Amino acid sequence: MKMFSVSHKTAFVVDHCPYMAESSRQQVECDVLTKSRGQGMIPLAPVSKSLWTCAVECSMEYCRILYDVYPLKKLINYIVSDSEFHILNSWRQEDQSTHELMSALAAVGPPNPQEDPECCSVLHGLVAAVESLCKITEYQHEARTTLMDTADRVANRGRIICLTNAKSDTHVRMLEDCVQETILEQNKMAAGSDRLMSIQQCELVLVHIFPQGEDTLVSDRPKKEVSSLLTSEVHSVRAGRHLATKLNILVQQHFDLASTTITNIPMKEEQHANTSANYDVELLHHRDAHLEFFKSGDLHMAGSTSRDSGLKETVTLKWCTPRTNSVELHYCTGAYRISPTDVNSRPSSCLTNFLLNGRSVLLEQPRKSGSKVISHMLSSHGGEIFLHVLNSTRSTLEDPPSISEGCGGRVTDYRITDFGEFMRENRLTPVPESPDTEASGKPPAERAKAQLERYTRYWPMIISQTTIFNMQAVVPLANLIVKESLSEEDLLTCQKTVYNLVDMERKNDPLPISTVGSRGKGPKRDEQYRIMWNELETLVKTHVAGSERHQRVLDCIIACRSKPPEEEERKKRGRKREDKEDKAEKSINKDSEDKSWQESERLKGALERGKEEQGESEVIKDSPDSPEPLNKKPRLDEIQLPEKAKGPVSLLTMWTNRITVANSRKHQEFAGRISSVNNKAELYQHLKDENGCYLLWTTR
Amino acid sequence: MPTVVLMDASLSMTRPVSLEQCSEELQRKNLAVAGLTMLFEHMANNYRLEFTSLVAFSSLWELLVPFTRDYNTLQEALSNLEDYDKTCLESALHGVSNVVQQEWGHACPTQVVLVTDGSLGIGKGSLRHSLQTLKGRPEDKKFPLPFPFPAKLFIMCIANAEELQMTDTMHNLEQLLQLNGGDGQIFTMEGQLCLKSVQSMFGRLIDEVYSPFPAVLRCGNLASDVQVFPRPEPVFLDEEIDPMPRHILTDLEIVGFIEIGDISSPPVMSRHLVLPIVVNKEVDDVGPGTTEEPEEETSANQQAGKVPNFCVLLHGSLKVEGMVALVQLGPEWYGMLYSQADSKKKSNLMMSLFEPGPEPLPWLGKVSQLGPISDAAENPYGEDDSKSPFPLQPKIKRSYAQNVTVWIKASGLQTDVQKILRNARKLPEKTQTFYKELNRLRKAALAFGFWELLKGVAELLERECTLLPDTAHPDAAFQLSHAAKQLKLASTGDSQYAAFDQNINPMHTDFSGGGAAGM
C-alpha cells in the first residue's frame, strides 16, 4: 500500500558498448516460403538480433506491461551507457510511454562496433541512474507539498535494472561497489538540496546477457544486502527467448503481478468460418485479483499450472458465454488493469478487441465438484481493460428488511417519476480542469452539490402534498426558477406561466388539488387557487435571493394574484353561488362524483379526479362562447339561474340545464336544497365541530 | 460483519465468585452468560442484521449455533451450556477459523468475541505453551492467528485486570492480540466481580462495536436520518504518508447522479445497508437495560411507515431509472447509493464505499471534477439521452489498443514480414496498407537497433520485384524498388533516412496518378 515503495522509480540502464553489437546467435527465419511459390528460390538468409536488440526489445516489453498495468505513478527512467550516458526520458508522467522511449532509442541506434571499448562502460549509466534516483518526481513533490511539516514521511526508494554483458563476477562486484559509493556521495549532496532527495533504499538488479551457445562468465546470485541502503541480485541469462522470460518474471516480481489464463475462448477460424476452436490467452495483472485463491490455498484447485520450469504460475479461469449486462451492477471487490503477455498473438488481439468493443465476459472458476462459480469479469472502460473480482461467497447482507417495511415504507404516492426526472437533470459530467475554474472558486463537484441544494429548496416528496408540481402549466416556471441565474427570456417565460395561471383562474379551470384529508370534494375552486398561489409563492420565495430576476418573478406572482379588496369581498359572496354551480356540475357527473365520494384510497381518488378535471377544463377551454366565470359578475346570487343573466345562452348551458331538470326528476332532492332558505343552504354544517384537515387547508 | 462468540466452557469457569453482599452464589460462568445475554438482547433490538454464531470450547470445541440472526436460539444454547474439562484455546481458534471460512470465505471481516475467565490452561494445549512454540512449526500445524480473513478479536475476561496481571495471563492475551495484527481489544472487569461489573464491561463492548452507525443522508435540502449497517470500518490508506485511519462522515452528502451503465460495476471496499430511521428524542438504546416495550415500538414503527421518507423516494427513483447516486463520505472519499434487490420482492437502499482517494474510478476521472450538466456548453448526454460523457479515455492508449510491435517470439516477426509481402503482391491496390505495415516494421526495427532486418526485408522486396508476373501493374515494380531503396537507406543509420518519426511515403508515379501516360 506504500505509494513510494521501491517500485515508484525504476531506472533502466542498458549497456550500449561495442560488445553489445555482437550477435545473439539466435536466428530468425523471416522468409517463410509457401510451397507453391518456393520452388527454385533461394530463401533469404535468416536474420539474427544483436545483444543490444535483445536487451532493448525485452526492456520495452517490461515497460509495455508496466504501463498497461500501472499507467500512473510507476515511473521509468531509461538510460543508455557507452562512452558517456544518455538519458532518454525523465521521471515526468508525460514522458512515460513506450512510444516516447522507442523514438529516443531509434535516435541512439545500435552500438557502434568500431568504437574504442576502452572508453566505453556501463558505469557511466549506473552513476547517472543513482543521480536520477535522487531527483524528485512530481508525485513526491506533490506529497511533500501537501504534507508540509511531515514532509519527511515521503520516502525516496528506487530500483536500478542494469542490462549488460559483464566480464566476470569480480566485474559485477566492481559495479555494485560503484553504485554503493555513488549513493553515499549523492546522498550527501541531496542533504543540502531542496530539489534532490537522498536515497533510502535501492535495489540493484543486474542482468548479464550472453550469446547463445556460449558459457556464462558470471554466476547467478539471489538478492543480498550490500549495505543498509543497497541490495543487489545478479541474473545471468542467454539472449533471446530466455532473456524475455526473465524480464517477464522480473516485472511480475517487481510490481506484484500475477498471471491468469483465460481458457476456452471460442474463436472463429478464418478458413473454417462455421467452426470455432477454443483458445487460451494469458493476462498479467495485479496479484490481488487472486487474493481469494491465495488465502484459501485453492491455487491448484483453481487450475493453476506451472510453466517455464516452475518459475511462473498462472491461474486458469474459464470463459463463460457472454451476456449483455452493462446495466447490471455486480458486487465487485476489486478491478485491476490487465496486460496480455503475448499482445500481438491472434487469440490475444481477438479477446482484447472483443472487450474494447464494450462487451464484458464473466469468468468461471473451474472446480472439482463441478459447481459453477463465477469469480471474475473482464470488462473495458474507456479503452482500458480491467479484471474485476466478483464476490462469490455468501453475503452478510442477505435477506435485509425490505425498504417498504421501514420508515416511510407505507407511503404510496411518492413522486418517483418526478424525482427520476430530477436525477436526470442532476447527472454528473466530467469538467475539464482549467486554471480559470480554480480561480472562480468552487470545484465542479461543489457546484453539483450547490445545484442539488437549489433544486430541492422546495421539493414535496409525495403527490398529495403538492398542487403546482401536478400541473403541466407550472412546469416552465418550476424548471427555470431553480437556475442559478435567469436570462431575460427565462424571466419572460416565468411571467407568461404566471399570466397563464391567472387566465386559468379567470376561466375557473379546476386544479389537481389533492383531496387527501378532506371530506368530500375538497376545497372550493377559489380556495384551490389560493392554495396553488401560496405554493407557487413558497417555491419562488426560496429563490429570490438568487438574483434580481428571481425577485421579479415573485413580484409578478404577487402582483397578479393580489386582488383589490372590493373584488375579494365579491369573491367571498360569490363563493356561495359557486357552490350551487358546483352542485349543478355534480349532477351531471353524478356517477364519477359518486365514485369520488366513496373513494377511500386517497391516491387513486386524487389521480382520477385530476384526470376528470383535466377533461372538464378542456371542455370549457374548447368552447369560446361559454359564459365568463360567474364570480366576475356582481350580485349574481339574487338570480336563480345564473346562465340566463347573460344574453345568449351557450349550447352547453342549455344542455346542462335540461339534463339537470331531467335528472332531478329521477332522484330524491338533496336535503340541502329542500331545507334551503331562499335557495340558500348552509354547507358543511358539521365543519365547526371538526378540526379536520379542511381547516388546515384554509389556514395555510 | 458476522460475529463468532467463543465461549469458554472449561471447568474453571464454574469457580464461584466471592460476594459479600450477595446471598446467592454466582459462578464466573453465570456472569459470562449474563454478559452475553445482554449482548444478544442488544443485538436483537438494535443490531438485528448481524449474523452471530456460538462456539463453546474446552479441550475440544463445538459449534453450538451456526450463524444466525435468531437471537432466541443463541440465548437458548447459552442457557443450556454444560461444563467441560480444561481450556485449550489454540484448537478453539482453529475451530473459529474453519467455521468462518466455510460460511463467508476469506474476504469477509469478522468479529470474534472470546469470553473466558483468564485461566488459559496448563501444560500442553495451554495458550502459554502455544505461544512458546510458535516458531518452527510445520506448515500444517501453524497457529490459527492471524486468521486468513480480516478479523477483530475482542477478549472479554471474567476477571479483573489485577487478577490477570498477577500471572502472565494478561501478557499472553496481549501477545494473542498482536498475533492478530493488533486488531481487537482486551476487556476486563472493573472492581468486584458481580453482575453490575460484567454488564458494564459488555456495555463497553457494545458501545464500541455493536452500536448502530447513525448518519444523515442529504441531497440538497432533502434529508433522512439513516442507520448504516454494518458499521463502516475505519480505513488506512498509505501507512507511511497517511498513518491516520479514515472514518466516514455521519453526514452523507449526495453529489449527483450517474447511470448504472456509466459507473459500470465499480470495485468497492465494502457494502452497507442504508436504513431510514426515526430519531427519538430520548434514545438510549445503547446503555444497559433499556429495552423498549416491543408493542410500543411496533406502533411507533407503523407511525413512521406512514411519514414520507427521502430514502424511500430516492430508492424508488434509483431503481426505476437504473441510476446510482454518488455520495461523499469524507474529504476525497466517495461511495455510491443504489437499489439492491435481494429477491424479486425485497429491495433496499445500499451504499458501497469506494477506495478513498481523489480518483477512485479511472473511467470517471477525478470526482471533484464532476460537475452538473448545466456547466457544460451542450448536454453531454444528448438531447435524447443517446450519448454519455463516460467512460473517460486515457491520454495514452494501452498496448493492446494501439497495434504495438513485439518481436520477442519469432512468429511475431514472421507475421509482420509476411503481412508486408502479402500486400506487396497486391500492389498497387494495397499501396496504403503496404506502406502502413512497412513503416510499422521500419519504426520498430529502428528503435530496436535491428538494422539487419531492414536490409533483409529490402532484399525480399527486391526479389518480389523480380518475381512480378508480366501482367502486373507497372506501378508495382516502382513501389517495390522504391520501398527497398528507402529501407536500405534507413539501415545505414543515416539520420537523414533513419529518423523515427519519418515515414516512407508511396512513390508518386504517373501510373498512380491514374490515366496519365507518356513515359
Side-chain angles (χ1 to χ4, degrees):
Chain A
M1 286 270 266
K2 279 185 200 161
M3 157 99 197
F4 300 114
S5 67
V6 185
S7 51
H8 179 54
K9 291 164 146 179
T10 304
F12 256 106
V13 178
V14 185
D15 198 339
H16 193 249
C17 297
Y19 47 77
M20 290 296 282
E22 214 178 298
S23 165
S24 68
R25 290 182 221 151
Q26 191 190 5
Q27 299 192 324
V28 185
E29 204 76 59
C30 61
D31 189 15
V32 187
L33 292 171
T34 51
K35 276 176 203 155
S36 57
R37 300 186 79 244
Q39 279 155 357
M41 260 199 316
I42 307 152
L44 190 79
V47 287
S48 88
K49 297 170 186 169
S50 63
L51 292 182
W52 164 258
T53 299
C54 288
V56 166
E57 71 174 1
C58 291
S59 62
M60 276 301 113
E61 183 68 0
Y62 183 105
C63 297
R64 178 188 72 78
I65 292 167
L66 175 60
Y67 290 146
D68 274 356
V69 180
Y70 296 97
L72 298 171
K73 296 177 188 173
K74 304 284 179 209
L75 309 171
I76 284 176
N77 192 204
Y78 207 101
I79 297 163
V80 167
S81 179
D82 43 43
S83 58
E84 54 184 353
F85 61 84
H86 311 268
I87 300 181
L88 302 192
N89 69 338
S90 77
W91 293 124
R92 293 194 312 170
Q93 187 63 58
E94 68 243 47
D95 275 7
Q96 304 294 317
S97 84
T98 44
H99 181 86
E100 200 73 28
L101 291 174
M102 301 257 284
S103 168
L105 279 166
V108 170
N112 179 4
Q114 267 80 54
E115 209 169 346
D116 177 10
E118 285 308 308
C119 52
C120 288
S121 167
V122 76
L123 272 175
H124 303 297
L126 286 171
V127 170
V130 174
E131 283 172 15
S132 175
L133 286 180
C134 286
K135 285 183 193 146
I136 191 164
T137 68
E138 59 198 283
Y139 296 106
Q140 288 174 320
H141 178 73
E142 202 191 314
R144 290 220 300 194
T145 333
T146 45
L147 285 175
M148 301 290 282
D149 37 325
T150 50
D152 53 324
R153 283 207 208 120
V154 178
N156 189 36
R157 309 184 180 94
R159 183 180 284 126
I160 300 172
I161 302 176
C162 177
L163 304 182
T164 183
N165 178 288
K167 309 276 171 298
S168 63
D169 287 348
T170 338
H171 184 204
V172 167
R173 216 162 303 129
M174 187 272 284
L175 295 178
E176 285 169 353
D177 291 346
C178 163
V179 171
Q180 166 67 19
E181 267 168 46
T182 318
I183 291 176
L184 293 176
E185 230 169 78
Q186 288 296 317
N187 277 359
K188 263 184 220 152
M189 273 175 64
S193 160
D194 275 351
R195 317 285 303 142
L196 299 176
M197 286 176 87
S198 52
I199 298 170
Q200 285 151 334
Q201 195 192 342
C202 178
E203 254 183 55
L204 177 64
V205 181
L206 274 165
V207 182
H208 164 69
I209 310 169
F210 59 97
Q212 304 252 337
E214 265 182 31
D215 284 334
T216 177
L217 302 167
V218 175
S219 40
D220 259 3
R221 208 192 53 211
K223 194 192 278 189
K224 71 154 195 196
E225 244 176 51
V226 177
S227 73
S228 59
L229 295 176
L230 180 69
T231 62
S232 158
E233 62 192 269
V234 183
H235 303 272
S236 179
V237 218
R238 274 194 181 82
R241 193 163 48 83
H242 300 279
L243 179 64
T245 313
K246 174 57 79 182
L247 279 173
N248 186 292
I249 291 166
L250 286 178
V251 72
Q252 292 192 50
Q253 282 172 359
H254 294 166
F255 295 96
D256 294 335
L257 306 186
S259 148
T260 295
T261 302
I262 317 296
T263 184
N264 267 11
I265 306 175
M267 241 170 67
K268 290 257 188 301
E269 291 277 10
E270 234 170 321
Q271 282 94 355
H272 320 279
N274 47 357
T275 60
S276 73
N278 290 338
Y279 288 88
D280 291 1
V281 171
E282 188 192 350
L283 307 174
L284 295 177
H285 49 79
H286 194 279
R287 68 156 159 247
D288 277 357
H290 288 165
L291 207 59
E292 185 75 4
F293 302 137
F294 285 131
K295 281 195 171 161
S296 59
D298 268 0
L299 263 183
H300 289 276
M301 207 170 84
S304 149
T305 48
S306 302
R307 295 188 291 106
D308 294 321
S309 61
L311 281 168
K312 200 169 147 188
E313 290 206 316
T314 183
V315 168
T316 308
L317 293 173
K318 213 174 122 207
W319 164 288
C320 289
T321 309
R323 52 194 162 100
T324 45
N325 48 14
S326 67
V327 287
E328 202 178 331
L329 206 54
H330 292 276
Y331 175 24
C332 157
T333 54
Y336 306 93
R337 289 187 176 86
I338 61 104
S339 182
T341 359
D342 201 357
V343 65
N344 275 346
S345 76
R346 241 175 65 77
S348 284
S349 58
C350 272
L351 175 66
T352 51
N353 286 333
F354 179 85
L355 294 165
L356 289 173
N357 283 333
R359 276 169 287 193
S360 302
V361 184
L362 293 171
L363 302 174
E364 184 190 326
Q365 198 182 321
R367 288 217 166 162
K368 273 186 213 148
S369 58
S371 62
K372 189 167 163 174
V373 176
I374 291 178
S375 58
H376 292 77
M377 176 175 78
L378 275 173
S379 186
S380 80
H381 309 284
E384 282 188 288
I385 299 173
F386 289 81
L387 181 62
H388 290 248
V389 183
L390 304 180
N391 181 64
S392 49
T393 52
R394 187 180 164 191
S395 160
T396 51
L397 295 178
E398 68 182 29
D399 199 25
S402 171
I403 193 144
S404 58
E405 293 160 23
C407 296
R410 308 287 289 278
V411 180
T412 50
D413 64 336
Y414 284 107
R415 293 170 59 205
I416 299 282
T417 323
D418 289 350
F419 198 72
E421 189 53 40
F422 165 90
M423 295 194 317
R424 302 200 155 272
E425 279 162 20
N426 284 287
R427 274 181 292 186
L428 297 168
T429 187
V431 178
E433 273 180 87
S434 72
D436 336 335
T437 47
E438 263 172 54
S440 70
K442 280 185 174 177
E446 292 305 317
R447 292 184 42 75
K449 283 188 202 165
Q451 175 166 314
L452 287 175
E453 193 279 323
R454 281 199 315 277
Y455 275 52
T456 54
R457 283 187 195 160
Y458 178 70
W459 213 97
M461 288 196 281
I462 54 175
I463 294 167
S464 53
Q465 259 174 5
T466 178
T467 305
I468 53 171
F469 292 113
N470 299 333
M471 294 168 65
Q472 270 304 311
V474 183
V475 170
L477 184 146
N479 283 349
L480 287 171
I481 199 75
V482 293
K483 282 173 66 174
E484 203 171 12
S485 61
L486 296 178
S487 66
E488 201 55 47
E489 198 186 330
D490 294 340
L491 176 61
L492 220 62
T493 314
C494 287
Q495 286 167 340
K496 266 189 205 155
T497 309
V498 175
Y499 299 151
N500 187 23
L501 291 172
V502 171
D503 205 37
M504 280 173 68
E505 184 173 22
R506 195 177 51 80
K507 288 188 198 148
N508 212 11
D509 289 355
L511 293 179
I513 290 254
S514 161
T515 51
V516 174
S518 65
R519 287 255 199 105
K521 200 184 172 180
K524 293 293 140 262
R525 196 61 52 81
D526 61 341
E527 188 56 39
Q528 291 181 357
Y529 274 93
R530 224 171 60 78
I531 293 167
M532 186 278 287
W533 284 117
N534 280 344
E535 202 187 357
L536 194 64
E537 234 179 270
T538 311
L539 167 70
V540 177
K541 266 183 186 157
T542 59
H543 294 280
V544 285
S547 75
E548 189 254 337
R549 287 193 181 117
H550 285 91
Q551 178 65 47
R552 280 168 66 189
V553 176
L554 180 65
D555 294 347
C556 170
I557 292 172
I558 293 172
C560 287
R561 69 170 300 197
S562 72
K563 311 271 183 316
E566 191 199 356
E567 197 186 335
E568 198 73 353
E569 184 60 27
R570 256 183 273 134
K571 276 194 79 177
K572 258 183 208 156
R573 275 182 280 137
R575 195 177 301 165
K576 285 180 182 165
R577 282 256 6 56
E578 206 190 304
D579 293 342
K580 227 172 286 165
E581 187 226 18
D582 267 0
K583 251 181 208 161
E585 253 177 49
K586 254 176 242 160
S587 49
I588 303 168
N589 298 329
K590 191 165 178 294
D591 282 3
S592 55
E593 279 311 306
D594 278 352
K595 215 192 258 170
S596 294
W597 280 82
Q598 284 157 11
E599 197 66 76
S600 55
E601 273 189 57
R602 311 149 170 178
L603 168 65
K604 270 190 192 165
L607 279 177
E608 274 179 30
R609 269 180 51 77
K611 272 180 215 157
E612 283 161 21
E613 283 174 353
Q614 209 85 50
E616 263 181 39
S617 61
E618 264 161 36
V619 171
I620 296 167
K621 272 182 210 150
D622 287 350
S623 85
D625 290 330
S626 56
E628 282 193 277
L630 305 172
N631 51 10
K632 287 279 168 183
K633 278 163 276 158
R635 312 167 90 227
L636 274 175
D637 37 355
E638 251 74 68
I639 305 156
Q640 240 201 330
L641 273 173
E643 289 79 9
K644 279 180 186 166
K646 200 186 176 193
V649 175
S650 78
L651 199 59
L652 175 69
T653 317
M654 284 166 70
W655 176 251
T656 308
N657 291 338
R658 198 189 133 95
I659 293 294
T660 313
V661 173
N663 280 349
S664 67
R665 283 190 207 114
K666 288 179 199 156
H667 67 79
Q668 226 180 354
E669 187 52 88
F670 286 112
R673 212 171 277 167
I674 293 167
S675 62
S676 64
V677 180
N678 199 11
N679 216 5
K680 273 192 223 167
E682 195 182 349
L683 280 165
Y684 301 110
Q685 287 158 322
H686 51 275
L687 196 64
K688 287 165 204 128
D689 6 300
E690 269 189 339
N691 311 334
C693 288
Y694 184 79
L695 284 176
L696 259 175
W697 282 108
T698 51
T699 51
R700 213 161 65 159
Chain B
M1 288 224 301
T3 293
V4 184
V5 174
L6 183 58
M7 173 74 173
D8 189 342
S10 67
L11 213 54
S12 64
M13 287 290 281
T14 63
R15 281 182 295 158
V17 182
S18 53
L19 279 181
E20 289 105 52
Q21 68 269 59
C22 191
S23 53
E24 212 180 328
E25 189 182 271
L26 279 176
Q27 299 176 352
R28 281 165 203 262
K29 181 182 153 189
N30 300 130
L31 292 181
V33 169
L36 284 173
T37 304
M38 179 181 146
L39 176 65
F40 290 158
E41 267 175 14
H42 166 84
M43 285 173 153
N45 287 317
N46 303 301
Y47 217 68
R48 68 188 79 172
L49 292 177
E50 178 82 353
F51 279 99
T52 304
S53 76
L54 180 62
V55 175
F57 76 102
S58 56
S59 60
L60 301 170
W61 64 273
E62 186 186 354
L63 176 62
L64 294 182
V65 184
F67 286 98
T68 180
R69 283 173 179 158
D70 180 356
Y71 286 93
N72 291 332
T73 317
L74 285 162
Q75 186 60 53
E76 210 171 295
L78 196 61
S79 344
N80 298 333
L81 189 66
E82 285 176 44
D83 305 322
Y84 298 94
D85 57 343
K86 60 173 189 172
T87 314
C88 178
L89 199 53
E90 182 173 343
S91 68
L93 291 172
H94 268 300
V96 170
S97 181
N98 287 342
V99 167
V100 172
Q101 285 186 69
Q102 266 178 22
E103 197 74 48
W104 310 106
H106 310 89
C108 181
T110 309
Q111 294 164 135
V112 179
V113 178
L114 166 64
V115 185
T116 177
D117 61 344
S119 53
L120 300 166
I122 31 169
K124 221 177 163 202
S126 70
L127 181 63
R128 188 187 298 116
H129 182 259
S130 295
L131 293 173
Q132 277 164 356
T133 56
L134 273 183
K135 278 178 194 155
R137 292 195 191 197
E139 192 63 37
D140 55 332
K141 290 214 173 87
K142 277 253 184 299
F143 193 71
L145 292 186
F147 289 118
F149 44 85
K152 289 195 174 181
L153 182 59
F154 300 102
I155 306 174
M156 312 302 292
C157 298
I158 310 297
N160 54 40
E162 297 79 49
E163 199 181 327
L164 298 173
Q165 272 151 0
M166 278 199 290
T167 57
D168 61 349
T169 308
M170 194 53 137
H171 176 70
N172 284 336
L173 291 177
E174 277 165 2
Q175 247 186 300
L176 200 63
L177 267 193
Q178 269 167 21
L179 279 175
N180 195 42
D183 236 352
Q185 204 175 329
I186 300 170
F187 290 86
T188 56
M189 288 167 67
E190 278 157 16
Q192 219 178 17
L193 303 192
C194 62
L195 276 175
K196 217 178 133 201
S197 53
V198 83
Q199 281 178 345
S200 107
M201 177 172 74
F202 274 87
R204 277 180 281 143
L205 173 74
I206 288 170
D207 281 357
E208 280 188 34
V209 188
Y210 296 104
S211 54
F213 185 89
V216 180
L217 178 63
R218 283 183 205 287
C219 174
N221 294 297
L222 297 168
S224 168
D225 288 302
V226 294
Q227 181 192 330
V228 178
F229 178 89
R231 284 182 74 84
E233 289 295 304
V235 173
F236 289 89
L237 279 177
D238 188 315
E239 68 268 29
E240 196 169 80
I241 291 177
D242 209 355
M244 299 301 284
R246 296 247 205 146
H247 296 269
I248 80 163
L249 295 174
T250 50
D251 228 23
L252 305 170
E253 207 179 354
I254 290 176
V255 180
F257 301 87
I258 296 178
E259 314 256 350
I260 283 184
D262 287 340
I263 200 119
S264 138
S265 297
V268 301
M269 302 181 76
S270 59
R271 293 193 306 169
H272 307 265
L273 287 168
V274 178
L275 307 162
I277 49 166
V278 184
V279 177
N280 303 338
K281 286 100 224 163
E282 314 137 42
V283 255
D284 189 23
D285 40 16
V286 176
T290 55
T291 47
E292 285 169 44
E293 290 295 312
E295 271 174 42
E296 246 177 66
E297 201 180 292
T298 43
S299 73
N301 276 352
Q302 274 174 0
Q303 274 285 307
K306 288 172 188 158
V307 179
N309 190 295
F310 171 61
C311 281
V312 187
L313 173 68
L314 175 69
H315 169 265
S317 299
L318 288 175
K319 188 176 181 175
V320 170
E321 299 285 336
M323 292 173 100
V324 306
L326 201 67
V327 60
Q328 180 146 22
L329 310 169
E332 296 200 328
W333 195 7
Y334 303 89
M336 62 171 178
L337 290 161
Y338 52 98
S339 160
Q340 168 80 25
D342 194 38
S343 59
K344 266 178 195 163
K345 278 191 179 166
K346 285 190 170 178
S347 64
N348 225 310
L349 190 61
M350 189 87 96
M351 178 166 75
S352 289
L353 313 189
F354 300 142
E355 203 152 295
E359 198 184 330
L361 307 174
W363 50 97
L364 296 190
K366 273 192 191 156
V367 178
S368 62
Q369 285 303 119
L370 296 180
I373 345 175
S374 51
D375 270 13
E378 61 180 279
N379 189 347
Y381 290 92
E383 289 314 314
D384 50 351
D385 260 356
S386 55
K387 294 188 291 184
S388 169
F390 302 108
L392 289 190
Q393 301 288 332
K395 279 190 198 122
I396 299 171
K397 281 185 174 177
R398 304 288 155 254
S399 70
Y400 45 81
Q402 59 167 328
N403 199 12
V404 292
T405 315
V406 180
W407 289 333
I408 284 181
K409 286 188 179 165
S411 60
L413 179 56
Q414 283 157 357
T415 314
D416 284 347
V417 173
Q418 290 308 312
K419 235 185 256 173
I420 291 171
L421 291 182
R422 243 192 345 263
N423 285 304
R425 282 163 208 148
K426 288 177 190 155
L427 287 173
E429 291 83 36
K430 293 280 184 183
T431 308
Q432 290 308 317
T433 357
F434 170 73
Y435 279 101
K436 199 182 127 213
E437 289 299 331
L438 191 74
N439 282 313
R440 193 164 77 87
L441 176 125
R442 174 184 171 275
K443 268 195 165 61
L446 287 173
F448 298 155
F450 200 0
W451 293 353
E452 201 183 331
L453 178 73
L454 295 176
K455 282 183 208 124
V457 174
E459 280 170 35
L460 280 176
L461 294 181
E462 278 167 353
R463 190 188 66 196
E464 283 303 317
C465 195
T466 62
L467 291 173
L468 283 174
D470 299 339
T471 54
H473 193 282
D475 200 24
F478 280 106
Q479 298 298 354
L480 283 174
S481 50
H482 166 68
K485 190 178 149 209
Q486 290 297 317
L487 284 185
K488 278 205 170 143
L489 285 170
S491 75
T492 60
D494 184 338
S495 60
Q496 199 188 331
Y497 302 101
F500 184 75
D501 286 316
Q502 196 181 308
N503 278 326
I504 303 179
N505 291 315
M507 189 188 200
H508 186 78
T509 64
D510 287 346
F511 308 107
S512 54
M519 267 199 72

